[in-house]
Amino acid sequence: MLTGNFPQLRLRRLRKNENIRRMVRETILTPNDFIYPIFVVDGENIKEEIPSMPGQFRYSIDRLPEILSQVEELGIPAVILFGIPSHKDELGSDSYSERGIIQRAVRKIKQEFPNIYVITDVCFCEYTTHGHCGYLACSGEVCDVDNDRTLELLKKQVVSHAQAGADMVAPSGMMDGMIKAIREALDGAGFTDIPIMSYAAKYASAYYGPFRDAAESAPAFGDRRSYQMDPANSDEALREVALDIKEGADIVMVKPALAYLDVIRRVKNTFKYPTAAYNVSGEYSMVKAAALKGWVDERRIVIETLTSIKRAGADLILTYHALDAARWLREG
């Protein structure tokens, strides 16, 4: 606590110029903090911009080296992959097929960019005809995701990702018991060294809109509030995180980031556990839209935003700003 009083104590002394500000800076942002999300599509020679996410693209597997070479050159250690298959069905079978879009992408990356750490998103919404995050059970006109049947499909998916060469799996469906089921499946298949980054506190958020455009994963009906968290709750987030840690998660995640900085801080303070935060598509697109209008200084607002997420307690930040932010940080 402060021991002196004005005028003897003047806090502005340590803000005098950039050198002293850098010397006393409490939160240091570096490219090592970033995980870059990449959308992968079936086909050849595809690089198509996502309309609702300016500057972000869907890539076919043969064009992944274009973006991965930038990731590697900028010193960003990891990517997370989201697959958009050409074939969808009720069970999302492409998600656990040996020839699935993600499985082929992982093999390509590990062959050509062995030093990039590859994380795979583990879910079903991109792969199912109904756009929900698992096995859909219906009673009359009422449908919902069947939690326990979905766990069996998740086991198949994570093992197929590990067999393809994934370095880490990141289940995002918010199914009860998913971490326990995934850990047992990986261990049973001999992949005891594959860590799990759990989307432990994933909220039913309006900030996901552009992602659903990018990944073609909008629900065909209804919404996901029966399995994703209510935005009004933070105590519940701690219960979710506690269960995932107990079940074997190696990293826990809060998603989205900006509207949930308080949750990130509570998770970090409570568990002292490796914590990730997802700076999601809606957060990204709002900044890009304002920057394109000339309403904000994109460089300054991005660095300020990412710094705030780290300051809140995130050890890792999944962000579509990663390439630009890494360049700006390099430039100083």
Side-chain angles (χ1 to χ4, degrees), residues 62-92:
D62 60 309
R63 296 196 64 173
L64 283 175
E66 296 177 30
I67 190 66
L68 293 168
S69 61
Q70 295 180 58
V71 169
E72 190 168 64
E73 194 275 330
L74 289 166
I76 297 167
V79 297
I80 183 167
L81 303 180
F82 297 90
I84 306 160
S86 56
H87 167 75
K88 299 188 180 192
D89 56 35
E90 289 293 304
L91 296 179

Side-chain angles (χ1 to χ4, degrees), residues 273-307:
Y273 212 72
T275 302
Y278 203 140
N279 178 214
V280 298
S281 59
E283 297 167 350
Y284 169 87
S285 294
M286 288 191 299
V287 170
K288 294 297 288 190
L292 288 170
K293 287 285 189 179
W295 294 340
V296 297
D297 181 327
E298 182 179 0
R299 175 172 174 157
R300 290 187 63 192
I301 205 168
V302 166
I303 297 301
E304 183 176 345
T305 294
L306 298 178
T307 300

Side-chain angles (χ1 to χ4, degrees), residues 37-322:
I38 298 177
F39 298 97
V40 189
V41 296
D42 267 325
E44 294 183 356
N45 196 31
I46 297 172
K47 179 185 177 183
E48 55 187 14
E49 189 167 25
I50 300 162
S52 58
M53 298 178 69
Q56 301 302 309
F57 299 83
R58 302 182 190 95
Y59 295 89
S60 55
I61 292 173
D62 60 309
R63 296 196 64 173
L64 283 175
E66 296 177 30
I67 190 66
L68 293 168
S69 61
Q70 295 180 58
V71 169
E72 190 168 64
E73 194 275 330
L74 289 166
I76 297 167
V79 297
I80 183 167
L81 303 180
F82 297 90
I84 306 160
S86 56
H87 167 75
K88 299 188 180 192
D89 56 35
E90 289 293 304
L91 296 179
S93 60
D94 191 274
S95 69
Y96 50 82
S97 167
E98 180 183 353
R99 294 296 301 163
I101 182 69
I102 286 296
Q103 291 78 357
R104 287 181 284 124
V106 170
R107 287 192 287 267
K108 172 79 168 180
I109 296 170
K110 297 312 292 185
Q111 180 181 10
E112 297 192 21
F113 296 86
N115 294 325
I116 291 180
Y117 196 86
V118 177
I119 306 167
T120 55
D121 177 75
V122 176
C123 197
F124 291 97
C125 58
E126 303 107 298
Y127 304 91
T128 57
T129 49
H130 48 73
H132 281 279
C133 298
Y135 183 95
L136 202 64
C138 297
S139 177
E141 296 183 357
V142 178
C143 296
D144 197 6
V145 173
D146 186 312
N147 190 95
D148 295 2
R149 289 188 178 184
T150 299
L151 296 183
E152 296 305 311
L153 297 177
L154 286 171
K155 291 178 182 180
K156 297 170 67 174
Q157 188 176 160
V158 295
V159 170
S160 73
H161 289 187
Q163 289 171 337
D167 295 298
M168 177 186 288
V169 295
S172 61
M174 289 295 288
M175 297 295 111
D176 291 338
M178 68 180 183
I179 303 305
K180 182 176 186 292
I182 288 170
R183 186 72 270 161
E184 289 176 350
L186 289 171
D187 291 353
F191 297 106
T192 57
D193 292 333
I194 299 290
I196 301 170
M197 178 169 65
S198 172
Y199 289 63
K202 181 180 179 180
Y203 286 85
S205 173
Y207 285 98
Y208 302 151
F211 175 92
R212 290 171 181 170
D213 174 30
E216 300 176 2
S217 63
F221 60 89
D223 54 44
R224 297 175 180 146
R225 287 182 289 182
S226 70
Y227 42 100
Q228 294 177 358
M229 284 183 53
D230 189 322
N233 297 349
S234 64
D235 289 344
E236 182 185 5
L238 299 185
R239 295 195 292 273
E240 286 279 9
V241 170
L243 285 171
D244 283 2
I245 291 173
K246 184 177 181 180
E247 291 179 8
D250 299 280
I251 298 171
V252 292
M253 185 198 300
V254 176
K255 180 183 179 184
L258 281 182
Y260 300 89
L261 294 176
D262 61 317
V263 178
I264 297 169
R265 174 45 59 192
R266 290 193 71 187
V267 167
K268 191 62 178 178
N269 283 351
T270 302
F271 300 102
K272 304 291 191 294
Y273 212 72
T275 302
Y278 203 140
N279 178 214
V280 298
S281 59
E283 297 167 350
Y284 169 87
S285 294
M286 288 191 299
V287 170
K288 294 297 288 190
L292 288 170
K293 287 285 189 179
W295 294 340
V296 297
D297 181 327
E298 182 179 0
R299 175 172 174 157
R300 290 187 63 192
I301 205 168
V302 166
I303 297 301
E304 183 176 345
T305 294
L306 298 178
T307 300
S308 76
I309 297 168
K310 186 172 183 181
R311 190 183 65 242
D315 303 292
L316 303 169
I317 305 172
L318 292 78
T319 179
Y320 304 97
H321 294 296

